[in-house]
Amino acid sequence: MCGIVGYVGEKRAAPLLLDGLRRLEYRGYDSAGVATLDGDHVQIVRRVGFVQNLAAAIPADMPGHTGIGHTRWATHGGVTEQNAHPHADSTNRIALAHNGIIENHALLRARLEDEGIVFRSETDTEVLAHLVSKFYAGDPVDAVRKALLLVQGTYGIAVIFAAHPGVIVAARNGSPLVVGKGDGETFLASDPHALAAYTRQVVYLEDRDIARIDQQGWTLSRLDGSDVSRVVEVLGEEWADDGRGDYSHHMLKEIREQPESLARCLRGRVVPESGGARLGGLDMDPRDIASIQRVGVLGCGTSFHAGLVGAAAMESLARIPAFAEIASEFRYRNPVIGRDDMFFAVSQSGETADTLGAVREVQVKGGRIFGVVNVVGSSIARACGKGVYVHSGPEIAVASTKAFTSQVAALLVAALSFARTRTLGPHEGKSFGDELLAVPSAVGEWLQSEPQSVMDAVELVTKGRFVFFLGRGVSHAVALEGALKLKEIAYLPCMAYPAAEMKHGPIALIDRNTPVVVIVPDDVMRDKTLSTIAEVKARGARVIVVHSAGDMHAARVADISIPVPRASTLLSPLLTVLPLQLLAYRSGLALGRDIDRPRNLAKSVTVE
Ligand code: AGP
């Protein structure tokens, strides 16, 4: 959704702002704009549509060595140039970009209108530009502080003042901002992707921080006026690589990166010598682990699906009662949270508003919650305080792929660590850990020799009227993930079901135009799932079967057989999901979809 960038330094700001905005494009947006300082006023250029429209409209010699930029995903007011950010005050001497929602904007707007201010947009943001202007009396930080004290809602803002060339004032409350220190230049962004190519030395603002940013760095204070300092962090190397390389799409690149992203996630965490696992970020001693009564795993979309696998592992491996729940449902059902319960919040972006809301709900009720997050320093990671980074590296395509497998792997490591403390002996632990460590290379080998049958499956599903995805246990989570991918990327109607539930109703939908994708690894549920295959085939369905390599019976009953390397049940999702990711990608491609930026979707869903 919305993104912010800022630059202060010796170079011309506009090209750097544009580059930063391009790096934020993956988040989803509908208009974009930049503002730079030009003598005694601010110069603003905004356009509806992609950053390339904005780039075409920006004069090659746009002046200014200080500037801010924004990509907007419309909330208050339609998708128009007037509503795009940055917004100026009435004197055109202040420009402001904003992520978040100002909840009391109507009241503030009415007051400002009474004072004679004429608004030029329908946005909630414009009130901030006028308020900052109203309170400006020579000190830009003071003006921003006074304006923000009147505001209810969430914000990440960047403000420039014609009277203060070489200064950006930034502030955050609920919408992330990160400041990056370069050599004689300083960068600002709502997302580390935008600045990782320029610097890896960053500081994350906390809620109610205000930063005065100049060429030399930053000075931080709090909304209440007190001073504060924050630790400078170093972005991991993987964050610098957000290009497509030789790949035609980020999604394909990210699918193919899974051997490395999985290996990164597991590195140093599985400990073969003890048969256990080490997750320093959880900071739990064996007594803490022994006292856990229940585990809840919360997330949305793909992260929820990873959570389903994680909860299954907690229960079957560590023998701790466990459940996974969609974060947006959990947060409003007044859940019972016990002292010895432990929760995980799973999120690639670390910014999903529904998941962040669930984190707060657990905390309000005195519960413990740990992040399983990809983006370092993101809101969920910070709100949880402790947790596990999954180290997938930048995931740019809207469809989550490598983050899913890393989330599953991280949760399996946590389950192994808990299980080793509570239930597993060293030999069983070691054998689980060894198998987990072997997964990245099995994933790599399969991806390298992707079977032709994936393309046969593409042919079948793209011609189908409706596609079913079936599986049982953790394979049901994989079915849900496969169906989500096919909806998002190929826009094909489909549905995932626990295989045994078909006979309780959905089987009525089956005919020869409803391809059925069945995930049937060679585990204890295999024979039962094979019976479901027989039932849907008897009603005319053509069946694509994702099965364990060497399972000849599963291959024989399939109309299209897709073998994947064998793995024990809990690890099987790391392999069975691969053909489903490619099925979605290749179906989207065949249907001419916008693979990396599917319609109506944003990468990071920061609104409820
Ligand atoms: C996945 O392909 C989706 N784009 C979406 O379901 C996503 O997983 C969901 O919005 C949660 O995002 P998060 O992991 O960043 O919290």
Side-chain angles (χ1 to χ4, degrees), residues 300-303 346-349 352 398-400 407 484-485 488 605:
C300 301
T302 290
S303 297
V346 185
S347 175
Q348 186 286 129
S349 62
T352 302
V398 163
S400 191
Q407 289 164 343
L484 177 63
K485 290 285 96 88
E488 280 186 293
V605 185

Side-chain angles (χ1 to χ4, degrees), residues 473-552:
V474 291
S475 295
H476 174 231
V478 175
L480 286 164
E481 178 57 10
L484 177 63
K485 290 285 96 88
L486 197 64
K487 284 176 219 165
E488 280 186 293
I489 304 307
Y491 317 152
L492 288 172
C494 54
M495 177 187 262
Y497 245 83
E501 277 289 295
M502 283 301 277
K503 58 187 177 294
H504 297 292
I507 201 163
L509 289 170
I510 294 286
D511 63 24
R512 49 201 305 281
N513 296 314
T514 46
V516 181
V517 182
V518 189
I519 298 94
V520 54
D522 192 0
D523 61 14
V524 285
M525 300 312 290
R526 166 187 175 271
D527 293 351
K528 307 247 176 238
T529 310
L530 289 175
S531 302
T532 305
I533 293 178
E535 286 159 19
V536 295
K537 283 188 79 165
R539 283 148 186 93
R542 305 209 44 217
V543 183
I544 298 156
V545 181
V546 177
H547 61 87
S548 305
D551 184 346
M552 298 322 289

